[in-house]
Amino acid sequence: MPTHRRTHISRAVTAATLLALTAACTSGSSDRPEERAPESGGAPYEGLPDELGRQSLDWTSCPAASPSQDPMATAPPDELAEGAGWECADLEVPLDYGQPEGDTIELALIRARAGDGAERIGSLVFNFGGPGGSGVATLPAAGESFDSLREGGYDLVSFDPRGVGESEGIVCLSDAERDAAVQELGSLPETDEEREIAERQEREFIAACEENSGHMLRHVSTANAARDLDLMRHVLGDDALYYFGVSYGTQLGATYANLFPDKVGRTVLDAVVDPDDDPVHQGLLNAMGFQRALDHYLEDCVQQSDCPAGENPADGNLWISDLLTDLEDAPLPTTDASGRDLTVTLAFAGIISTLYSEDSWEYLTLALEEVRDQSTGDLLLLLSDLYNERNPATGEYSTQEPAFTAIRCADQPGGLSEEEALSHQDEFVEASQVFGPYMVWSLGGCGDHWPVTEAADPPNYDATDSAEPLLLLGTAGDPATPIEGAERMREAMGGPETAPLLRWEGEGHGAYLSESPCVVEAVDAWLLNGEIPPDDTTCPA
């Protein structure tokens, strides 16, 4: 199966896997936020021309998110408590930090200012993961969950990373072409004819990426995003970066700590990615994590009076596995206005979308009931659209999926051949009866034809020289970033003194937004007061 078809199924699992919460308080001012001086104060930034290093941000009221950021958005973001509104601005950064006098791009930023009367700590910058997720769209949606931090003295800030949304978002196929590709080949290619279709689709996908976003593909690495973060910190006027990274945002945060250790402020890394870049290891970890989450869902489902998947978890795994197998040959009909059927690729995304949070399990039950009772796939298709950031009514997509591909392929070019990938099939099936047969195809990576063939910045997460420790959060039932990865990242960053781990014995992707009082209190104590919990502190579910 060619690269982008292989990664299409993989991205349905890993887009949010890697797909989406900082030094002592510095220069706290008792001025009301609207009265304080311009962010950078016109200070230079070493290595960059003055028009970048001395720039000031022009904050204005935010419009509704664009379709490239969130195709479901129809209105500007809602205000927070006390009438706190959202402001947007653009930050100018070098396209290529190796040529700082060359071309530039603009990154879209959003913020809500610190609470009235609060002694301002600084800007707390968020990245919610993907890679490819729009922070401009995501932060307002989750803003109320972080209001204690805003009221405690932080400006809440997020951004669209380079290649995402309104920050020169990566564009490859058109929306209609993306739909058509999934309908033409929405399953694993097994026949010669299907392999020919897949190979043609791969060529068309890569050609479209080069035609529409070729100038960006070599410059969207995580290391470049970390360099953007430091310029952002400087222009915002902070001596240290206060940072909250989730999922892939933890990889970005760890990369920043390695590149700019003396600028690390109070940092939280939630739903921590595994530092091992071996694709087999990463793929098996994903398969294990989602299978664990599915097992937990089925254990809960069979306690209900009429679980559609059967009377026990073993039967449930078999029923869902058989459903996916049947969809390989016979997609289910839907009432979708554009005429799409529910293919195995779409059903796969719909199922895993519900495993990111225990609150979503009821929707998986409803979707499986529809399949069982009506032999239609409307709800699974809707869940797939929401996961893939596609507006079901208009057919518009965000840039998340092509950005995911471009960022991952800038960080880790290449991949295994189809033969090499399938040699691991037994390991994947053992890790997950349901997901393993599909996730093994993710090992294809970027393939031989992707235009970026060598990583400019090999990953390095050593943070032993950082000015402050970085607090890691791991969730026992996290499907996308299993807690075992957080344990390995702790060691890669320098051990417990550098990166202590706070464990939450709950379910879902990420701990802070679970609103566990224990987790929220520990994180807020660190970010607001500098009180970091001891390594291996455990919060109950």
Side-chain angles (χ1 to χ4, degrees):
M1 193 175 193
T3 303
H4 103 271
R5 295 307 306 154
R6 276 184 267 183
T7 56
H8 183 94
I9 291 178
S10 170
R11 286 195 296 272
V13 177
T14 60
T17 297
L18 303 169
L19 205 163
L21 289 139
T22 27
C25 301
T26 60
S27 61
S29 169
S30 60
D31 292 341
R32 291 172 60 87
E34 60 269 22
E35 297 171 350
R36 64 179 182 257
E39 284 87 351
S40 69
Y45 184 92
E46 184 177 355
L48 293 185
D50 282 351
E51 58 264 29
L52 299 180
R54 295 178 181 269
Q55 66 183 294
S56 296
L57 299 174
D58 182 17
W59 294 101
T60 60
S61 297
C62 294
S66 71
S68 69
Q69 296 168 316
D70 178 4
M72 297 295 291
T74 58
D78 293 335
E79 292 183 344
L80 292 172
E82 304 171 354
W86 295 96
E87 301 174 311
C88 287
D90 292 320
L91 173 72
E92 190 174 5
V93 302
L95 174 64
D96 182 352
Y97 278 90
Q99 300 180 20
E101 302 281 353
D103 293 340
T104 63
I105 59 175
E106 290 187 337
L107 306 186
L109 274 60
I110 191 168
R111 78 172 177 188
R113 294 188 178 197
D116 289 350
E119 183 172 344
R120 183 176 180 271
I121 300 171
S123 296
L124 181 60
V125 181
F126 293 80
N127 180 282
F128 293 97
S134 165
V136 172
T138 304
L139 180 57
E144 290 186 1
S145 297
F146 304 113
D147 215 38
S148 61
L149 299 172
R150 187 186 67 82
E151 293 175 352
Y154 283 109
D155 292 347
L156 306 182
V157 177
S158 194
F159 64 108
D160 290 354
R162 55 174 57 213
V164 176
E166 291 299 297
S167 298
E168 292 285 328
I170 300 294
V171 176
C172 296
L173 299 174
S174 70
D175 296 336
E177 288 170 335
R178 290 171 69 172
D179 281 347
V182 174
Q183 293 298 302
E184 182 183 32
L185 185 64
S187 62
L188 304 178
E190 297 177 347
T191 67
D192 290 342
E193 180 181 2
E194 289 171 338
R195 288 189 174 89
E196 290 177 3
I197 293 173
E199 290 169 1
R200 171 177 56 76
Q201 287 189 354
E202 178 190 16
R203 292 193 301 270
E204 293 171 349
F205 173 75
I206 294 176
C209 293
E210 291 193 277
E211 178 180 357
N212 296 317
S213 295
H215 67 295
M216 291 293 297
L217 299 180
R218 292 166 177 80
H219 303 294
V220 293
S221 68
T222 299
N224 276 336
R227 296 179 179 108
D228 292 339
L229 270 178
D230 197 58
L231 179 56
M232 189 184 308
R233 170 203 60 77
H234 170 77
V235 173
L236 289 170
D238 291 328
D239 294 332
L241 177 70
Y242 307 99
Y243 180 77
F244 203 134
V246 183
S247 195
Y248 164 79
T250 67
Q251 179 179 336
L252 176 57
T255 299
Y256 180 89
N258 176 261
L259 292 176
F260 303 98
D262 59 325
K263 300 300 183 183
V264 173
R266 295 175 190 165
T267 295
V268 175
L269 305 180
D270 188 0
V272 183
V273 301
D274 193 296
D276 190 335
D277 61 0
D278 174 63
V280 176
H281 170 83
Q282 288 281 2
L284 288 171
L285 192 67
N286 288 341
M288 177 195 71
F290 278 96
Q291 183 63 55
R292 178 190 292 162
L294 180 64
D295 288 340
H296 293 171
Y297 157 75
L298 290 170
E299 290 167 3
D300 179 78
C301 182
V302 298
Q303 302 301 315
Q304 313 305 318
S305 59
D306 186 27
C307 178
E311 297 182 355
N312 59 69
D315 287 346
N317 272 290
L318 181 60
W319 191 88
I320 295 174
S321 180
D322 287 344
L323 168 63
L324 294 175
T325 300
D326 292 343
L327 289 172
E328 290 273 354
D329 299 320
L332 284 177
T334 73
T335 59
D336 178 64
S338 57
R340 294 176 301 156
D341 291 330
L342 180 72
T343 66
V344 65
T345 301
L346 296 172
F348 188 99
I351 291 170
I352 67 166
S353 73
T354 64
L355 300 178
Y356 279 84
S357 170
E358 189 173 359
D359 293 339
S360 301
W361 288 357
E362 62 181 297
Y363 301 111
L364 179 54
T365 298
L366 291 172
L368 297 181
E369 285 176 346
E370 181 191 32
V371 170
R372 181 195 64 184
D373 298 338
Q374 303 177 34
S375 297
T376 56
D378 283 314
L379 187 48
L380 274 179
L381 182 64
L382 175 61
L383 292 168
S384 173
D385 279 349
L386 295 176
Y387 184 79
N388 289 321
E389 296 193 359
R390 178 189 185 275
N391 185 315
T394 67
E396 294 176 298
Y397 286 88
S398 76
T399 62
Q400 182 180 48
E401 185 176 0
F404 173 91
T405 300
I407 295 168
R408 299 307 298 167
C409 291
D411 285 346
Q412 296 175 294
L416 279 62
S417 69
E418 181 176 328
E419 182 179 0
E420 291 170 329
L422 293 180
S423 70
H424 297 279
Q425 190 161 24
D426 290 346
E427 298 170 67
F428 275 73
V429 173
E430 183 178 355
S432 173
Q433 171 188 353
V434 174
F435 303 120
Y438 302 93
M439 290 187 175
V440 70
W441 291 92
S442 70
L443 301 180
C446 305
D448 297 330
H449 303 296
W450 187 258
V452 181
T453 58
E454 185 175 350
D457 300 284
N460 188 334
Y461 308 120
D462 183 0
T464 52
D465 293 331
S466 65
E468 291 281 349
L470 300 90
L471 178 60
L472 310 186
L473 308 184
T475 299
D478 192 322
T481 52
I483 197 169
E484 292 87 348
E487 295 168 347
R488 282 185 281 269
M489 181 63 90
R490 175 177 57 185
E491 300 312 309
M493 294 180 71
E497 291 187 2
T498 301
L501 174 61
L502 173 67
R503 302 172 183 270
W504 179 52
E505 296 295 320
E507 298 287 337
H509 186 46
Y512 189 87
L513 289 176
S514 71
E515 299 184 354
S516 156
C518 173
V519 173
V520 171
E521 289 171 11
V523 170
D524 286 7
W526 166 230
L527 290 175
L528 296 174
N529 304 319
E531 301 169 2
I532 198 164
D535 181 54
D536 277 331
T537 296
T538 299
C539 286

